Amino acid sequence: MSYYLVRGGQALRGEVPISGAKNSVLPILAATLLNGGRSLLHNCPDLRDVRSAIQILQHLGCKVSREGDTILVDSSVVDRWDVPHELMREMRSSVIFLGPILARCGRARLSLPGGCEIGQRPIDLHLSSLRKLGVSIREQGGDILCEARDLRGGDIILSFPSVGATENTILTATACPGVTRLINAAREPEIADLQAFLRKTGVLVQGGGESVITVSGESPRNDVEHTILPDRIETATYLCAAAACGGEVTVTGAEPEHVGTVLQCLTEAGCRVRCAGRTITLQAPRALGGMSPVRTMPYPGFPTDAQAPLMAAACTGQGTSLFIETIFENRFRHAAELARMGADIRVNGRTALVTGRPLHGARVRSTDLRGGAALVVAGLAAEGESIVEGITHIDRGYERLAEKLTALGADIRRVEA
Ligand code: EPZ
């Protein structure tokens, strides 16, 4: 069981490059099924989840190769329409392959993705959208079997701006004759990135990043070259680490506009933040103050994925902050692990009240991807040594974490046990 050995107390200084966004490269890799040709994707992070998505594409018949941060997908041949059970278990967000497989093959078979550490993660919004587009869906022994019998475009209203349901609906709609209008769509930047990719294949889609997205059912045909947008949650994580440890850090290759709510919280807590083009420089105060209530919301509200790293930073300060998690029902599991480091966090349902105080090192275990990153942030700021176990969670979403932190002066190393 590999773990991170972290010795806290070092201020962080220097520059850290931001990688491509996990939550953009995954739906775009799925979308490469659509054009039946070549897709050249740049700025792809090397993550466990990306490797899982590549395995799925290869299982379906695609040729996939990687050179550095560039992935080449050739989807000329797609001769399967199922996602293997073990790959669905490995990565629940594989459900994003449902729409593209349906659009390409006319049918799809996936095992139900099931819940995960942060919540039930139902896919009812995905399935109700697809049914409205003319997809017949039946469940059989934990699998969903989908047939695109009489696909047709139409108006679809999402009861919640689900990111995955928005992506699956757009991708399925590319195969539906007529026009599909998706209302109350997710507005996350990753949706706009997916739209930019699809437009290069020849699909007429517009409104990505807004609440109403329109797709004209066109058969995608062009080969594509696309650069994945920077990871806003990785950006937030490194800024929270700098805020917690003290010092001055510049993230490069970032998109400041995508982390506006996080920058606002860190500024309120006493950090000096300067944005210039694709860089963000954060100068930490001697001790972080409190923040106004941090309420997670769909984009452009505060991102739920940045809640745990920001909570870790708040734990190390001197102020009091209230976190309200409105997106997932079980996303405070990192609080108990942070408490082992001396953090004062009072969890009550979907709220967590944090009173900052000095932390001490401890042996802790990652609960999920972002909760694991929060434990690393806390360990970097704590007095003494911490062991962070369960880091395969963290490998899913952070490329070269220990290497990037070490370059900032952190004392952290990965131990393969
Ligand atoms: C995406 O998950 C991200 N994952 C998540 O990032 C992120 O936390 C989430 O969006 C919210 O921003 C990827 O993009 C791969 P949702 P997704 O559908 O699409 C409920 C990370 O750490 N819901 O917007 O699964 C759901 O239960 C990961 O990088 C339904 O009820 O999120 C949740 O409460 C974690 N029915 C809420 O909506 C559905 O059919 C938001 O889910 C779908 C969702």
Side-chain angles (χ1 to χ4, degrees):
M1 170 82 74
S2 47
Y3 59 88
Y4 283 128
L5 182 60
V6 183
R7 285 192 187 83
Q10 309 288 337
L12 301 185
R13 296 189 189 291
E15 290 195 355
V16 57
I18 296 301
S19 303
K22 165 179 86 80
N23 292 347
S24 183
V25 70
L26 294 179
I28 288 178
L29 279 169
T32 61
L33 289 168
L34 296 178
N35 68 348
R38 293 160 56 88
S39 299
L40 196 61
L41 305 178
H42 301 296
N43 200 30
C44 299
D46 183 15
L47 302 168
R48 252 183 75 202
D49 278 5
V50 172
R51 293 194 282 276
S52 298
I54 290 173
Q55 278 182 285
I56 292 172
L57 287 171
Q58 290 168 330
H59 167 82
L60 296 170
C62 298
K63 290 195 187 69
V64 187
S65 58
R66 175 170 203 139
E67 202 171 311
D69 73 5
T70 295
I71 294 175
L72 173 63
V73 180
D74 183 337
S75 63
S76 317
V77 173
V78 171
D79 49 17
R80 297 191 64 140
W81 41 275
D82 67 310
V83 177
H85 181 76
E86 59 278 6
L87 285 174
M88 283 301 294
R89 303 305 291 175
E90 167 70 15
M91 181 177 73
R92 66 166 312 285
S93 50
S94 308
V95 69
I96 193 53
F97 279 86
L98 176 56
I101 294 173
L102 264 175
R104 178 69 189 265
C105 307
R107 51 186 179 165
R109 180 186 190 120
L110 281 71
S111 57
L112 282 164
C116 70
E117 308 79 15
I118 60 177
Q120 280 305 308
R121 312 293 294 274
I123 59 168
D124 56 308
L125 299 176
H126 299 237
L127 301 184
S128 62
S129 285
L130 269 50
R131 284 193 175 98
K132 289 191 188 105
L133 292 174
V135 178
S136 76
I137 300 170
R138 61 191 172 85
E139 293 187 26
Q140 189 184 59
D143 283 1
I144 41 173
L145 303 165
C146 305
E147 295 271 343
R149 286 227 179 83
D150 57 339
L151 289 182
R152 62 195 174 287
D155 280 5
I156 293 173
I157 301 174
L158 286 179
S159 59
F160 180 86
S162 152
V163 172
T166 297
E167 292 164 346
N168 254 331
T169 305
I170 294 171
L171 292 166
T172 306
T174 62
C176 297
V179 174
T180 296
R181 270 194 338 149
L182 179 59
I183 297 144
N184 196 27
R187 299 171 52 191
E188 272 70 2
E190 292 75 29
I191 305 293
D193 206 26
L194 176 61
Q195 170 174 287
F197 172 85
L198 288 172
R199 291 170 73 91
K200 290 175 184 173
T201 68
V203 170
L204 294 179
V205 48
Q206 57 191 15
E210 299 305 322
S211 294
V212 178
I213 296 176
T214 307
V215 184
S216 302
E218 306 275 332
S219 54
R221 49 199 172 284
N222 307 338
D223 289 349
V224 179
E225 183 161 9
H226 184 75
T227 298
I228 302 296
L229 94 174
D231 194 315
R232 59 196 170 97
I233 307 304
E234 185 194 23
T235 302
T237 304
Y238 284 107
L239 293 174
C240 288
C245 296
E248 179 169 319
V249 165
T250 295
V251 295
T252 60
E255 191 53 74
E257 191 190 316
H258 295 166
V259 288
T261 50
V262 179
L263 299 183
Q264 179 174 283
C265 294
L266 291 169
T267 303
E268 187 184 0
C271 300
R272 271 194 65 225
V273 173
R274 295 188 311 280
C275 299
R278 304 288 301 272
T279 70
I280 304 170
T281 299
L282 180 141
Q283 196 171 8
R286 203 182 46 72
L288 280 177
M291 293 173 268
S292 306
V294 179
R295 182 188 302 273
T296 65
M297 292 293 281
Y299 193 90
F302 186 92
T304 173
D305 295 343
Q307 175 255 107
L310 184 66
M311 183 184 288
C315 287
T316 68
Q318 286 178 346
T320 299
S321 305
L322 181 68
F323 290 80
I324 305 152
E325 175 55 58
T326 73
I327 305 293
F328 290 106
E329 69 272 23
N330 190 24
R331 204 166 198 178
F332 286 141
R333 294 179 65 207
H334 46 280
E337 294 302 305
L338 289 168
R340 294 168 59 81
M341 302 169 105
D344 180 350
I345 308 172
R346 313 279 166 85
V347 174
N348 180 6
R350 294 226 181 189
T351 65
L353 181 66
V354 174
T355 305
R357 57 200 291 197
L359 302 185
H360 54 75
R363 189 182 189 107
V364 289
R365 171 175 295 281
S366 300
T367 51
D368 56 271
L369 165 53
R370 308 302 176 183
L375 298 178
V376 172
V377 168
L380 292 170
E383 191 55 42
E385 188 172 276
S386 296
I387 289 179
V388 181
E389 295 176 322
I391 60 177
T392 50
H393 284 295
I394 305 176
D395 293 344
R396 290 188 41 222
Y398 292 91
E399 184 183 42
R400 297 182 293 117
L401 180 68
E403 189 183 317
K404 291 188 179 184
L405 286 168
T406 303
L408 293 174
D411 185 344
I412 177 173
R413 68 188 174 87
R414 185 187 184 103
V415 178
E416 299 297 349

